[in-house]
Amino acid sequence: MRAAFLVKYGASQSAFEVRETEKPSPSPDQVLIKVEAFGLNFADVMARLGLYKAAPPLPAILGYDVVGHVESCGSKISDLQVGDRVVAFTRFGGYAEYALAEKEMAQKVPDAMPAGEVVALATQYSTAYFLVHTMANIQEGDRVLIHAAAGGVGTALTQMALLKNCMVFGTCSSPEKMEYLKNNGVHHPINYVAGDFEKKISSINKGAGLDVVFDPVGGTSTRKGFRLLGAGGRLLTYGVSSMNKNTSFLGKLKVLFQFGIYHPIQFLGASKGIIGVNMLKVGEERPEKVASAMKAVIDLVDKGRLKPFVGGEFGVEQLGEAHQFLESRKSKGKIVVKW
């Protein structure tokens, strides 16, 4: 089979090579999927830059989400069969013509659902569902801030918060994305490049605190978000995208200090807190929770209550270009790569 290997860290155009490699065989608890398309996530960019510790050593096959048809099943698989179309959350290995997934991580999807929309469900929409319903437990009418609201997870978080009738604040980096946020239902789109989001939100809320902040950016974004929380508020951090522009040792150190220093007594006194989420870790230790989230979002999309947005489709020979587009922060929604 062919697979796109990460062969060196750095610039996207020279980081990948498509090579022939051996087709994997499923263990008793796995399915082998003939991949129709795979998705990109910002964690892929961090891995390409050598900033993601969980990534396998070079040469590596990245990739967390795929859509395709079941090619073969392990002996302990009973709810899937050869030929089923599935979306799967993979622990790397997704940038290939064939990929393995654990039995809980592969879920059936309708044949008519577009590949780009399907591939958004494994990582972005399942992450958003887990954040919203399990970790944040948002309530009707909550005031919610979503950073990187034009991205794949941000798009999903916005739609899920609107289903709960929340007041949604969303940050982005351009006038074009401001329009995207408005079209996705964000009540208060904020261009953080044009002004300080903390001051803007404080002014709109007239000093009232936020209930939930979703933050994949890190650094000063986290510190400001924590200050914006009111009593009972919670900040969920699920990425450090600000690190990709600070790849040197001193740059990384700077970002870490920008987060701020916290103590449990501080959380207790203000009755607010910070929660970290790593979906790879959740998938390793509690795969049933990821499976539950995947089933829920597939059902919600199938019923028309959620609608993934595909912000770019590329061929595998354009993988470097796709990475560059995602890293540029000009992309919106889900970026998908097709074989």
Side-chain angles (χ1 to χ4, degrees):
M1 73 170 188
R2 291 180 299 162
F5 283 85
L6 175 67
V7 295
K8 63 179 179 179
Y9 300 126
S12 61
Q13 297 292 3
S14 58
F16 298 100
E17 287 183 9
V18 176
R19 299 176 176 178
E20 288 288 338
T21 189
E22 187 176 350
K23 183 194 298 186
S25 298
S27 70
D29 289 314
Q30 292 178 321
V31 293
L32 178 67
I33 301 162
K34 181 175 174 54
V35 176
E36 177 184 343
F38 58 86
L40 299 192
N41 301 282
F42 209 83
D44 297 4
V45 172
M46 301 298 280
R48 195 197 78 233
L49 296 173
L51 298 174
Y52 195 43
K53 290 184 179 180
L58 301 182
I61 305 175
L62 305 180
Y64 306 107
D65 38 35
V66 301
V67 57
H69 291 82
V70 175
E71 178 83 0
S72 61
C73 298
S75 59
K76 293 184 180 179
I77 305 296
S78 58
D79 55 345
L80 293 172
Q81 59 185 3
V82 173
D84 284 343
R85 189 172 188 241
V86 295
V87 61
F89 182 79
T90 60
R91 198 187 190 286
F92 303 105
Y95 289 15
E97 288 184 307
Y98 293 88
L100 293 172
E102 302 298 322
K103 61 181 180 181
E104 297 94 345
M105 301 299 178
Q107 301 292 332
K108 284 190 277 191
V109 292
D111 288 334
M113 195 177 289
E117 293 186 15
V118 173
V119 85
L121 304 183
T123 304
Q124 274 100 344
Y125 272 74
S126 294
T127 296
Y129 191 91
F130 184 75
L131 289 168
V132 165
H133 295 279
T134 301
M135 304 304 287
N137 189 26
I138 64 172
Q139 304 295 308
E140 292 280 333
D142 275 354
R143 293 181 293 265
V144 176
L145 168 60
I146 300 168
H147 287 298
V153 179
T155 297
L157 286 169
T158 298
Q159 293 174 2
M160 292 178 195
L162 292 174
L163 290 179
K164 286 279 192 177
N165 296 315
C166 294
M167 177 185 287
V168 180
F169 299 82
T171 66
C172 63
S173 59
S174 69
E176 181 186 9
K177 288 186 176 182
M178 291 278 283
E179 286 303 311
Y180 176 80
L181 264 56
K182 291 175 185 177
N183 292 336
N184 199 35
V186 173
H187 300 104
H188 299 287
I190 299 169
N191 185 341
Y192 67 84
V193 176
D196 188 297
F197 73 83
E198 183 182 11
K199 293 179 180 178
K200 180 74 172 177
I201 293 171
S202 294
S203 174
I204 293 171
N205 281 338
K206 295 180 170 50
L210 296 173
D211 297 292
V212 182
V213 175
F214 295 105
D215 183 8
V217 180
T220 55
S221 172
T222 300
R223 190 171 71 248
K224 290 180 178 182
F226 185 75
R227 288 200 296 253
L228 284 168
L229 290 175
R234 48 269 188 223
L235 185 150
L236 289 91
T237 176
Y238 57 98
V240 194
S241 66
S242 58
M243 193 76 80
N244 82 305
K245 293 184 178 179
N246 298 273
T247 57
S248 68
F249 174 76
L250 290 178
K252 295 176 187 177
L253 201 60
K254 178 182 177 182
V255 172
L256 291 176
F257 277 112
Q258 286 174 342
F259 271 90
I261 299 173
Y262 306 91
H263 190 279
I265 290 295
Q266 186 180 356
F267 300 154
L268 178 62
S271 190
K272 58 185 183 181
I274 298 176
I275 302 168
V277 175
N278 180 334
M279 288 302 282
L280 277 183
K281 190 67 174 176
V282 175
E284 287 175 2
E285 297 190 10
R286 301 298 300 274
E288 74 280 1
K289 291 194 175 291
V290 178
S292 177
M294 290 176 70
K295 290 176 182 177
V297 295
I298 291 167
D299 182 61
L300 287 167
V301 171
D302 196 36
K303 290 178 178 176
R305 302 194 70 199
L306 298 175
K307 180 66 174 176
F309 176 81
V310 180
E313 292 189 357
F314 297 81
V316 71
E317 71 281 357
Q318 300 171 300
L319 180 56
E321 183 182 338
H323 257 253
Q324 188 176 30
F325 184 46
L326 180 60
E327 186 180 6
S328 73
R329 301 179 188 273
K330 294 179 181 179
S331 66
K332 302 182 289 293
K334 184 65 174 178
I335 305 303
V336 62
V337 179
K338 294 184 175 181
W339 284 100

